[in-house]
Amino acid sequence: LKADGYYFNEVIGNNSSAPITLYDLTDISNKTSVNINILTNLEKSRIEYLISNGLSFTVAKKQAELEVLKVFSISKPDITDSDSLNISLDGDNNAILLAISIITQGYRTESGLSDLLANISTDIRTDGILNSSTLGSSLINDAKLFDLTKIRNNIEKRYTDLGMTVTIPNFEKYIKLFLDSTSYVFTNNIVYPEFSNYGENILFGNKTTFSSSSALSMAANLPFGTALKIIIKISDNNHIWGIQAAPNGPINWSMSTFNNSMTQTFTAINSGTNSDLIISFSPGVYTVEYYENNSTTPTRTKDITIN
């Protein structure tokens, strides 16, 4: 079976702007309806391969389903057929489908999602194992940045808008299981270049000494879905800094006013782009705190000396 159409993107809370195509291989002799979904699509090529190597359809479908679950660090031998699952119904089986749907969607466009599904299907076709470290990282990179509360609210609002009363299953626990159990490597790190178009970058690496005689930059390259807040602190009011407003003003930074506690907060406005600004310091020592991906405590802190 083949389904073409638009769909609701749970991660961003909007309908897709383009259609995608999903498939299902199923035995319809004892079924009156099926649900074509991400799981059925990921199983298809693997089922075909197993059948071509002598397995019955029933055995091949079950094996392929369990192998796809393992890609997402899930083991549930008693799960029902993937095409009988429904994300609007309660229960662990339905929660698994919803979790995998959300993980694969990530922050991808429709074409990006289609490419990912096709590449995973090709990778697991012959051995049932996801061998590509690149594909594995692409799954964990977005999943690690999810706001699960927001995603649940998106889904609940969607059904409310449709006039439906449903029980959304506990998909969160399977996404958390994936995050805690997977061996895939997170590679979607925020990058702090050594230099930007505005000059030497105070956020770069472990560099802690800079000159007051030249303008400096505060630059970060943010992959889509990431978030960043920088707080600069001083110990006394004899030290100051200034931000250039024109002609080269801040790019993708919002800034708080300098407050009585002698701190200022800089927040990246959008992800999937670069943030930069020109900053100048008087000589002294300053503390820079990094808050990456909505962390409430600093993910990194360093003191910089301005000579």
Side-chain angles (χ1 to χ4, degrees), residues 21 47 65 69 94 104 110 142 153-154 164 168 192 200 205 246 250 301 307:
T21 300
I47 294 172
E65 182 177 20
L69 296 189
N94 299 315
T104 52
E110 293 81 15
D142 283 2
N153 290 339
N154 290 341
M164 300 172 61
I168 305 302
Y192 306 100
E200 192 173 12
T301 300
N307 295 323

Side-chain angles (χ1 to χ4, degrees), residues 8 13 151-163:
F8 180 73
I151 292 175
R152 173 168 285 275
N153 290 339
N154 290 341
I155 299 170
E156 291 176 345
K157 183 179 184 301
R158 170 63 172 172
Y159 283 108
T160 298
D161 291 345
L162 293 173

Side-chain angles (χ1 to χ4, degrees), residues 41-61:
N41 189 84
L42 289 173
E43 297 167 359
K44 177 179 177 291
S45 292
R46 179 62 175 157
I47 294 172
E48 291 171 335
Y49 180 85
L50 291 172
I51 291 174
S52 70
N53 281 271
L55 292 187
S56 69
F57 173 78
T58 300
V59 173
K61 186 171 178 66

Side-chain angles (χ1 to χ4, degrees), residues 27-45:
D27 180 355
I28 62 171
S29 61
N30 60 351
K31 295 177 180 178
T32 58
S33 64
V34 295
N35 178 11
I36 304 172
N37 55 57
I38 294 294
L39 270 178
T40 65
N41 189 84
L42 289 173
E43 297 167 359
K44 177 179 177 291
S45 292

Side-chain angles (χ1 to χ4, degrees), residues 12-307:
I12 64 174
N14 292 323
N15 290 326
S16 66
S17 57
I20 63 170
T21 300
L22 298 177
Y23 294 91
D24 179 29
L25 291 178
T26 190
D27 180 355
I28 62 171
S29 61
N30 60 351
K31 295 177 180 178
T32 58
S33 64
V34 295
N35 178 11
I36 304 172
N37 55 57
I38 294 294
L39 270 178
T40 65
N41 189 84
L42 289 173
E43 297 167 359
K44 177 179 177 291
S45 292
R46 179 62 175 157
I47 294 172
E48 291 171 335
Y49 180 85
L50 291 172
I51 291 174
S52 70
N53 281 271
L55 292 187
S56 69
F57 173 78
T58 300
V59 173
K61 186 171 178 66
K62 186 65 175 181
Q63 179 175 328
E65 182 177 20
L66 296 181
E67 288 170 341
V68 170
L69 296 189
K70 192 172 181 181
V71 171
F72 299 90
S73 302
I74 298 170
S75 175
K76 199 172 191 301
D78 63 344
I79 192 171
T80 56
D81 280 354
S82 54
D83 49 34
S84 66
L85 302 179
N86 188 331
I87 65 171
S88 66
L89 298 177
D90 201 8
D92 279 349
N93 293 342
N94 299 315
I96 288 171
L97 170 61
L98 183 52
I100 291 176
S101 298
I102 291 169
I103 291 170
T104 52
Q105 172 59 69
Y107 295 101
R108 297 173 183 86
T109 62
E110 293 81 15
S111 61
L113 173 59
S114 295
D115 287 345
L116 175 71
L117 297 178
N119 290 333
I120 293 176
S121 296
T122 299
D123 187 291
I124 68 174
R125 176 180 173 81
T126 58
D127 62 4
I129 299 171
L130 185 63
N131 297 294
S132 169
S133 60
T134 300
L135 290 175
S137 290
S138 70
L139 293 174
I140 191 68
N141 281 346
D142 283 2
K144 193 171 182 179
L145 303 175
F146 286 155
D147 182 337
L148 297 181
T149 300
K150 182 178 180 181
I151 292 175
R152 173 168 285 275
N153 290 339
N154 290 341
I155 299 170
E156 291 176 345
K157 183 179 184 301
R158 170 63 172 172
Y159 283 108
T160 298
D161 291 345
L162 293 173
M164 300 172 61
T165 301
V166 301
T167 300
I168 305 302
N170 184 12
F171 66 90
E172 293 94 339
K173 77 174 183 179
Y174 289 103
I175 293 180
K176 291 174 182 175
L177 174 65
F178 173 64
L179 295 175
D180 292 341
S181 305
T182 187
S183 60
Y184 306 144
V185 178
F186 180 80
T187 60
N188 208 26
N189 297 298
I190 299 171
V191 175
Y192 306 100
E194 185 174 4
F195 295 91
S196 76
N197 292 334
Y198 285 175
E200 192 173 12
N201 183 15
I202 65 168
L203 301 181
F204 172 70
N206 295 319
K207 173 105 183 197
T208 58
T209 303
F210 301 90
S211 173
S212 62
S213 62
S214 59
L216 302 168
S217 71
M218 195 168 77
N221 304 335
L222 284 80
F224 197 84
T226 56
L228 176 64
K229 179 174 69 177
I230 299 292
I231 296 179
I232 299 178
K233 300 180 177 181
I234 56 177
S235 58
D236 63 72
N237 57 14
N238 291 323
H239 302 152
I240 59 172
W241 62 83
I243 309 300
Q244 185 176 117
N248 297 311
I251 299 173
N252 199 43
W253 286 116
S254 66
M255 299 173 291
S256 70
T257 57
F258 186 82
N259 59 35
N260 292 332
S261 61
M262 294 182 286
T263 68
Q264 189 172 17
T265 300
F266 303 81
T267 304
I269 300 170
N270 296 309
S271 65
T273 188
N274 300 336
S275 296
D276 203 357
L277 56 75
I278 298 176
I279 187 168
S280 300
F281 295 87
S282 66
V285 177
Y286 303 79
T287 298
V288 180
E289 295 180 343
Y290 303 66
Y291 295 78
E292 297 175 320
N293 301 324
N294 300 308
S295 174
T296 56
T297 58
T299 50
R300 184 180 168 207
T301 300
K302 73 173 181 178
D303 290 332
I304 60 173
T305 299
I306 308 296
N307 295 323

